[in-house]
Amino acid sequence: MKLKSQLRFHLRWLALAAAGVALGLGIGALVTPVPAPVGTAFDAVPFYRLPFGPDDAGAPRPFWPSRMQAASAGFADGAALPSSATCAACHRREFDEWAGSLHAVAGNERVYEATEDANAEVGRNGAEQVRFCEGCHSPGTLLTGRANRFASVMPHEAELEGVSCISCHTAIHADPETGNGALTLAFDRAEIEARGPQGAALLADPRAHLAAFGAPDTTALLKTGDFCGACHNETLDSSMSLVPDPGVAVQATHAEWRESWYADNGITCQTCHMAPDPAAQVMRIRDGDLRAPATVSHRFIGSNWLLTDTALGDSLMILRGGFLPGVDAALGNMTAGAQLEQTRAFLRTAAGLELRESRLDAAGLHLHIAVQNLGAGHNLPTGVGDQKYMELEVVLRDAAGREIFRSGGDEQGPEGSAAVRWMEEFVDSRGRVIPDHITFRTAAVRWTRHGIPPRGEEVVPYDIALPDDTAGPFTLEVRLLYRLARPELILSNLHMRVDVPFFALAELTATIAGDGA
Amino acid sequence: MRALPTLLIPALLAAPAATFADAPAPTAAETEGLASVRAFTLEHSTALATEAAALRDRVAAYAGIIAAHDGDYQSAWDADGATLAQAIRDIRANWLATHNEYETIEGIVAGLPRTADYDLILDAGNPGTEDDDVADYDLTLPDGTELHQPGNLFHTLSEPVLWGTNPDAVRLAVDLDGDGAIGAGEMLFDPNLALGAAEGLAFWTADLQAQVESWEPTRDDAFTAVVTMTPTIGDYFGEWKDSQYLGGVGESFVAQSRLVDVAGIMNGCQLMYESAISPVLAEAGDSGLDAVIRSSFGQMLDLVSDTHAREQAGESFSAEEADALAAESQDIADRIVAQVLQAAARYDVTIED
């Protein structure tokens, strides 16, 4: 039989088969449930206020003054967003690590919450202006429409978790130049997976899970420093403060890194802060080994050791805002303890002190003390600069052990102290210092000293007048002290006396001969 | 004293038009509920004004005794110690009665834009130390001293004077209870400041009573009061934490535990909900939601009363425990408010800010 004859012979059956397939596909399309639309239109959440108006192009700005965006152009449904505890079913190690982190409690720990409440009291739109804070601290609150004077959206677990799993693993865009939370999050992907036919049954359709949380755009973004920079660069301007436009950068952690040797050498935020052993990682880099760690940790080790301090007992979990979903006392203590240990070790890798010069003359003893940034890929200190500060404690004793000079180490805080200090000061419109982080009242920002850049140093001179009856050799004790918050912040906003002790980043002891050498 | 600012410019928050279709018509139950809320508020605001007037008279009598001794406190105590001690006991009891009448209706008064300024003047406003929530009135004392924005009458002015936590108003430490020792709060106080404050209370409570008398409550009022005041519960726990009941050093909330106030305020919210809002939900067929909200109110008030009972039984609370209780109560309140707001949107209710 020739080929054409064969075709003619089978044509009818082929056509029938094709029609059957088409019919099957059509029926399939009809019976397959159409995924329910996800999210809620911006104008469909009752009583949601938009006091800041549209942008220059006329588009609504539901999350302003946070620069965060929702990929879906609508609010997410909090009830459909998976709690990080859900992720723990398969990603146990990551969850346990994250549960001790500051990211986990960023939106719920008591110091933040009390400070947010204090800011919300400022001005008529304070309750909406805190969207500025919530973007980075609690995306689950912001993107579900809960940051509002009258919150008509039901509370949900995702808002308890601060920077949760989905806060990062749905990110599709970051703009570190803008900062102030300039991330675009595709929470709709999480909702789509949750509402798909397989629901939470991941094994029924792993591709849906991958599409939700492992999409190529997200995976690529999560490896970059730019992703972190969207929140770790912060500018105060007229949108959320009294600082005139174009504003002033009050947190520039990412910008500091971008200009540094670390960025030039491909060392990202994740290289150190997500290393399984961050202190060891920094020491390797200091020794010239620039390789990234083979695995990552979700502890996001930084500088806040106080909110991991298990010595606080039950108070710790209360300060952290209570137990997160999926975390009990045993896990909470275990993971906070590990976080504390790593944080302390990490902080000890950041700085160094050197006595560069000591000279004695008729006017007294003259010292030059070098404060070095040895291990931080950003300025030292960095971050919330009106609260997190660094100061030098210098103590000089004579041969008899008598203290003849002391500067720094002021437990009462910076007010009225003349210590050498690296910090920002927020000031109000009357020029008064705002010690309790009331961002919305801030009219200007000034620095006692700017942070020390990566691999940089600052030499601090001391001219110490010596009493007539003193004699060397002298003993010099220097500590570079770091504090997480001004005492006034805790007292003013939290109405509690919580000790915020100094942490010694570096120490130096030297003996100076009677001739000053 | 100047008149209460009467120009209130409420920002009207309208719900989306698409949700207006289900607004149920007023029913007899709702109308009766609103009337009962008004009657309740009027009854207690009348009692409040009466108690405040009596307080003024008692403080005036105390001031008279001191004046009869030409302001010599030691001489007054030596001559009329027993009378002064009894007068102070009566004044304090009267103050508590006055204050508790107010707390009974605070959840309603403070939640309504038309009366919210009275709450600032009487109970909650600051003396101009913050940009917002200022007790915006002036007070003239009997000696002619003019006080500009002196703070709220109950907790900034009168309570610290009458209980001796305002050291500037303490005139002579005395053994008020006759137990041979002078304990905290045992003193003769400044009659000028005390009488000025008491006169202020009498004036402003009478003014509030007149406002309530002319009030015709609406569905919008009911929803506004509930969604405004219910979520403030966490703040009150915060004030409880700062008070001397938990080892704090605050001058205010020394006369009785702040938990008494919390109970009063939240009972007012519950009353408003059950009397005036619950019938609306019932008429609209939202009985399931109504049951959930009722249950949540019950939970919240149980939490407050259990905590108060524990405190009265002698249990001491740490600041951290107070924070945990605040968080728990706030969570319940947030759920109530979200549900009431969702209902408000469905029923074409305007929430006044």
Side-chain angles (χ1 to χ4, degrees), chain B residues 206-273:
Chain B
D207 214 45
L208 171 61
Q209 194 257 351
Q211 277 285 328
V212 173
E213 204 148 9
S214 65
W215 176 42
E216 294 297 336
T218 64
R219 183 181 290 178
D220 290 352
D221 287 342
F223 277 85
T224 298
V226 168
V227 301
T228 301
M229 291 306 292
T230 308
T232 61
I233 189 167
D235 297 341
Y236 303 131
F237 270 99
E239 289 165 347
W240 177 57
K241 182 181 79 178
D242 292 345
S243 75
Q244 295 183 11
Y245 279 78
L246 267 75
V249 293
E251 289 184 5
S252 308
F253 312 116
V254 292
Q256 64 183 1
S257 172
R258 186 62 165 148
L259 293 176
V260 176
D261 307 346
V262 182
I265 295 163
M266 292 304 140
N267 270 314
C269 293
Q270 184 187 40
L271 173 81
M272 183 67 104
Y273 177 79

Side-chain angles (χ1 to χ4, degrees), chain A residues 81-396:
Chain A
L81 297 177
S83 155
S84 296
T86 311
C87 310
C90 294
H91 303 282
R92 187 76 234 179
R93 180 178 63 81
E94 289 81 358
F95 176 81
D96 289 355
E97 291 167 349
W98 168 85
S101 75
L102 270 294
H103 275 174
V105 297
N108 217 29
E109 52 97 350
R110 292 294 299 125
V111 180
Y112 167 72
E113 205 168 51
T115 305
E116 182 210 0
D117 286 349
N119 274 287
E121 297 290 319
V122 177
R124 179 171 179 73
N125 299 317
E128 287 74 32
Q129 202 156 288
V130 295
R131 291 169 193 164
F132 172 67
C133 318
E134 296 282 51
C136 288
H137 281 266
S138 186
T141 300
L142 184 73
L143 297 187
T144 54
R146 290 267 312 151
N148 195 51
R149 167 83 172 86
F150 295 108
S152 63
V153 175
M154 285 292 278
H156 51 80
E157 285 195 341
E159 71 175 320
L160 297 175
E161 295 183 329
V163 183
S164 61
C165 301
I166 61 169
S167 301
C168 294
H169 289 277
T170 62
I172 59 172
H173 180 70
D175 178 3
E177 301 292 326
T178 301
N180 291 0
L183 286 168
T184 303
L185 302 188
F187 275 7
D188 52 322
R189 291 178 177 175
E191 288 184 64
I192 288 167
E193 192 210 15
R195 291 179 174 173
Q198 84 290 348
L202 168 63
L203 293 177
D205 189 357
R207 291 169 307 169
H209 191 65
L210 200 60
F213 305 113
D217 50 356
T218 299
T219 304
L221 183 62
L222 293 186
K223 293 175 180 167
T224 68
D226 284 0
F227 172 63
C228 312
C231 277
H232 292 277
N233 279 344
E234 180 188 350
T235 300
L236 295 189
D237 59 29
S238 64
S239 306
M240 80 303 286
S241 71
L242 305 178
V243 176
D245 293 334
V248 58
V250 291
Q251 287 192 58
T253 309
H254 171 270
E256 293 154 7
W257 163 81
R258 196 184 50 219
E259 300 301 319
S260 76
W261 171 89
Y262 293 86
D264 292 344
N265 285 277
I267 300 167
T268 64
C269 315
Q270 292 85 341
T271 308
C272 299
H273 293 281
M274 293 186 72
D277 184 345
Q281 179 67 25
V282 171
M283 294 312 291
R284 276 196 293 274
I285 292 170
R286 284 174 59 171
D287 291 340
D289 180 355
L290 307 189
R291 288 174 297 168
T295 58
V296 297
S297 158
H298 284 72
R299 291 197 180 281
F300 308 101
I301 296 296
S303 66
N304 194 327
W305 58 275
L306 187 64
L307 284 175
T308 63
D309 188 358
T310 46
L312 292 169
D314 292 344
S315 299
L316 175 63
M317 282 305 147
I318 292 169
L319 277 174
R320 285 174 66 94
F323 290 111
L324 295 164
V327 178
D328 58 17
L331 174 58
N333 280 321
M334 181 276 291
T335 191
Q339 188 89 12
L340 174 65
E341 192 179 327
Q342 288 204 348
T343 304
R344 283 181 166 156
F346 192 51
L347 284 169
R348 295 288 292 175
T349 65
L353 289 170
E354 280 185 11
L355 179 60
R356 287 287 164 76
E357 183 184 332
S358 61
R359 180 170 51 84
L360 188 64
D361 61 20
L365 183 61
H366 307 280
L367 305 173
H368 280 183
I369 298 169
V371 181
Q372 304 163 309
N373 180 344
L374 299 176
H378 43 68
N379 286 8
L380 201 63
T382 193
V384 189
D386 68 308
Q387 295 299 321
K388 296 181 174 183
Y389 68 91
M390 193 167 78
E391 73 179 38
L392 267 182
E393 181 188 59
V394 177
V395 179
L396 187 71

Side-chain angles (χ1 to χ4, degrees), chain A residues 49 121 123-124 152 494-495, chain B residues 11 132 241-242 341-342 353:
Chain A
R49 290 176 32 155
E121 297 290 319
R124 179 171 179 73
S152 63
L494 205 52
H495 305 281
Chain B
D132 305 301
K241 182 181 79 178
D242 292 345
L341 281 169
Q342 287 167 14
D353 190 3

